[in-house]
Amino acid sequence: MNKIFTYHPCLCAAVVMAVAVSCAKDLGNYNYTDLNGPSISGIPETLDVLTMQTLAISPVIEGGLPEDSYTYEWKAIDRNNDNTVTEIGTEKDLRYRVALSPGAYSLYYTMTERESGIMWQTTSSLTVSSSMSEGWMVLCSDEGRTVLDFASAVTSETYRDVLSDNPDMPQYNGPRRIQWLSSMTDASSPYYLLTDDGATRLGKDSFEWTEEYRLLYESGAGEDLVPYSIVSAGFGKMIVSGTDSHYCETMGFSGLYGSAVNKGFESSPYIGANVLATQIYAAVYLLYDTTNKRFMGYCPLLERPDLGAQEPLADLDTMGEIAEGMASPDEESVVGTAFDQYPEGYDLVYMENTRYDPGNASMGVTYAILADGDSRYVYGIQCGDMLRYADCPYVLGKAYYGDISGCTGITGEDNLFAFSSLGNFLYYSTGSTVYRADLSAVPVSAEVQFELPGETITCLKFNLYQNSDNSKKSYNLVVGSETGSGEGILRIYEGYDSAGDFTGATPAEEYDGFHRIVDATYKERIY
């Protein structure tokens, strides 16, 4: 909202003196002088502009003195960081080529009468965006070369190979994932590029890069870690590099990944964690021991003296016993009766964290697909908070078990899988076909959702949005495919209103012209 005020220090002093005199003796004789001040209009209350565009504003001034009787100032105050003030104009009309960083600003226009020093001011809200402030980050492979394209929601254009704008950035090959970690991460560089050659952060505005962004600089042991994904929960985050699991505490930006936490076994590339709860103090992470073929729990805060300096890594039965020992007699540590024993002896095919919370305990289900020969089983395990101080009342949950061996094509070597946060659903692809299995049905079977004739599906996922305004979009199915000619196509299928049924659905969004799509993550506005 625009506000106009006047201010003059001598005038204020005169008012104070007048009040003091009137208190001593009120003669009842008053003289009033009207301020013949200008009226400012014609400046919108909210403005949106792209970087490098010209912001042109011509205020309408009514009343007051001639134009040259005033000085003029336009200034932008950054509302995102430290209220930095930037002067962007000193003329009555503003003509400014926007060089501000993307973000939210307060725009002030001030007229000051030269002779008296009296000021008139108006305020507006200014949002500065870049063409890459919002949209799909599409990670592709050009015969192994990592390519990051960007489908902008701001300009509706697609920008190709945006990392090539960084002349000093090394070429990374073997793309794995593009991730956004906003929590407990350097706000100027919250995006992570993961590849076979290593990992690096990218800048928030246009994916800019410096040498210090390499994940090597986040390794306490000086190892050049090569993660498959980064999973955060509570005050920490975990990765698997090779067959070793590493933990990083993020209570401060100085946190570094330590040496491998798995002892005597090799870890699978997947890590389970609670991605639903907003407050977790002593998070439990879920690892899979591929040597002994069993789930393991890791709670790093158990090493702290105030928690008994206990071993932080244990099988899930032992982790449950530790939790019971720390609980009061009337507290449950492990909830759920979907299965009696934690599985052992199976090969882990796939694992994914979701926000699906059937018990309303702020514990998203982590689903795991396990194999025993040609048989396939799904287990749903919930990870909570060892201390139960905040969102989670339990430490572990046995949420789901199902036999999916009867699902069509479920044993395919090139299958891709995705679990929904909307309900108890598994989606998977074989070649050009997407199936859905309702895990609540008995027996579990699969039904075709749609086919993409002549194409091969290369990416299947649900993007978990972070801004609350976009929460319903987390149920949209994201599909990347490759045509026979090698063109990558990204399609987004609406999931909330359809209750997760994509039978015969047409995409709500579609983008083409990519190389082979490996991953796609939506870049939301962070201001």
Side-chain angles (χ1 to χ4, degrees):
M1 182 176 66
N2 294 346
K3 295 181 179 179
I4 301 173
F5 69 92
T6 61
Y7 170 76
H8 189 274
C10 295
L11 183 62
C12 290
V15 170
V16 173
M17 294 176 62
V19 171
V21 171
S22 65
C23 291
K25 184 177 182 179
D26 187 349
L27 301 178
N29 185 11
Y30 305 98
N31 292 319
Y32 295 94
T33 301
D34 292 331
L35 289 174
N36 185 24
S39 171
I40 305 173
S41 62
I43 303 177
E45 292 186 2
T46 59
L47 299 118
D48 293 277
V49 66
L50 288 174
T51 56
M52 307 314 293
Q53 282 188 340
T54 298
L55 176 60
I57 304 175
S58 297
V60 177
I61 311 298
E62 296 178 331
L65 301 174
E67 184 176 314
D68 60 2
S69 301
Y70 303 94
T71 61
Y72 305 90
E73 181 186 47
W74 298 85
K75 60 185 179 182
I77 299 180
D78 190 342
R79 298 207 307 260
N80 306 285
N81 300 313
D82 54 0
N83 293 321
T84 301
V85 179
T86 303
E87 184 180 82
I88 62 174
T90 57
E91 302 293 334
K92 172 184 170 294
D93 295 342
L94 179 65
R95 296 291 184 273
Y96 172 62
R97 184 173 172 82
V98 179
L100 299 168
S101 298
Y105 296 83
S106 294
L107 177 65
Y108 285 87
Y109 177 56
T110 305
M111 294 176 57
T112 303
E113 188 178 305
R114 295 179 186 275
E115 184 175 339
S116 66
I118 298 175
M119 298 185 297
W120 288 262
Q121 190 174 81
T122 182
T123 309
S124 302
S125 295
L126 173 65
T127 300
V128 178
S129 304
S130 78
S131 58
M132 297 181 189
S133 289
E134 182 178 0
W136 284 102
M137 301 181 287
V138 186
L139 183 64
C140 304
S141 174
D142 177 13
E143 298 183 348
R145 182 177 72 92
T146 295
V147 175
L148 182 64
D149 292 342
F150 190 79
S152 174
V154 178
T155 64
S156 299
E157 296 183 17
T158 298
Y159 301 89
R160 307 294 181 182
D161 202 2
V162 296
L163 298 182
S164 63
D165 293 336
N166 300 317
D168 297 327
M169 182 176 178
Q171 176 60 55
Y172 285 92
N173 298 302
R176 293 180 176 180
R177 292 196 67 182
I178 181 71
Q179 287 192 250
W180 174 23
L181 270 70
S182 62
S183 178
M184 302 297 181
T185 302
D186 186 343
S188 68
S189 174
Y191 305 106
Y192 281 83
L193 172 67
L194 312 183
T195 75
D196 293 346
D197 284 346
T200 183
R201 287 185 287 126
L202 300 171
K204 71 174 183 178
D205 294 332
S206 301
F207 308 109
E208 55 274 12
W209 185 85
T210 68
E211 169 69 19
E212 292 74 20
Y213 284 177
R214 291 174 55 195
L215 194 65
L216 172 65
Y217 294 93
E218 297 182 41
S219 171
E223 298 179 66
D224 200 357
L225 302 172
V226 188
Y228 300 94
S229 65
I230 303 174
V231 176
S232 60
F235 297 114
K237 54 188 178 182
M238 289 198 74
I239 62 172
V240 175
S241 177
T243 58
D244 287 334
S245 302
H246 300 264
Y247 175 74
C248 173
E249 188 169 287
T250 56
M251 294 183 73
F253 289 152
S254 60
L256 299 173
Y257 288 99
S259 57
V261 303
N262 49 304
K263 301 173 182 178
F265 68 87
E266 294 184 344
S267 289
S268 82
Y270 303 102
I271 297 173
N274 188 347
V275 298
L276 173 65
T278 56
Q279 293 187 24
I280 308 175
Y281 287 92
V284 177
Y285 294 87
L286 190 64
L287 309 179
Y288 197 77
D289 171 356
T290 61
T291 303
N292 302 293
K293 298 185 178 183
R294 60 178 180 172
F295 285 106
M296 300 290 288
Y298 179 69
C299 180
L301 263 68
L302 284 177
E303 290 184 301
R304 293 180 179 271
D306 53 345
L307 294 183
Q310 304 183 66
E311 172 60 45
L313 181 69
D315 62 75
L316 293 188
D317 283 324
T318 303
M319 190 63 68
E321 292 171 2
I322 294 173
E324 290 172 1
M326 297 176 61
S328 61
D330 60 341
E331 286 183 316
E332 271 191 283
S333 297
V334 181
V335 67
T337 58
F339 52 88
D340 295 326
Q341 302 294 323
Y342 294 106
E344 290 191 25
Y346 299 118
D347 294 316
L348 180 65
V349 176
Y350 180 75
M351 187 159 70
E352 181 179 350
N353 302 311
T354 75
R355 294 175 182 163
Y356 179 55
D357 183 21
N360 294 318
S362 293
M363 297 167 67
V365 176
T366 296
Y367 288 97
I369 299 177
L370 300 174
D372 182 15
D374 289 334
S375 299
R376 296 291 184 273
Y377 308 98
V378 173
Y379 282 81
I381 298 174
Q382 293 168 291
C383 296
D385 187 343
M386 183 66 71
L387 296 180
R388 292 170 283 235
Y389 281 169
D391 290 351
C392 307
Y394 310 108
V395 178
L396 292 170
K398 299 177 178 179
Y400 178 79
Y401 165 76
D403 185 344
I404 61 172
S405 304
C407 293
T408 304
I410 196 66
T411 60
E413 291 185 1
D414 297 325
N415 285 5
L416 300 175
F417 304 95
F419 287 91
S420 173
S421 293
L422 181 63
N424 207 19
F425 300 128
L426 161 65
Y427 300 83
Y428 64 97
S429 66
T430 61
S432 62
T433 305
V434 174
Y435 294 87
R436 181 181 78 160
D438 183 351
L439 299 178
S440 299
V442 180
V444 179
S445 60
E447 59 179 347
V448 174
Q449 296 292 278
F450 53 83
E451 295 185 62
L452 301 174
E455 301 178 25
T456 301
I457 295 172
T458 61
C459 174
L460 186 73
K461 66 180 291 185
F462 290 93
N463 182 77
L464 297 183
Y465 287 76
Q466 300 187 33
N467 293 343
S468 58
D469 291 345
N470 295 327
S471 59
K472 291 182 180 179
K473 295 181 181 179
S474 295
Y475 311 128
N476 294 348
L477 184 63
V478 180
V479 180
S481 64
E482 186 177 29
T483 67
S485 61
E487 179 189 18
I489 302 175
L490 181 69
R491 297 179 175 95
I492 316 298
Y493 296 85
E494 191 282 326
Y496 182 78
D497 291 335
S498 64
D501 185 357
F502 302 102
T503 304
T506 57
E509 301 175 52
E510 184 170 332
Y511 310 89
D512 57 19
F514 301 102
H515 294 288
R516 185 179 187 273
I517 298 174
V518 176
D519 190 22
T521 298
Y522 197 81
K523 183 183 182 185
E524 300 172 69
R525 290 181 183 266
I526 52 179
Y527 48 85

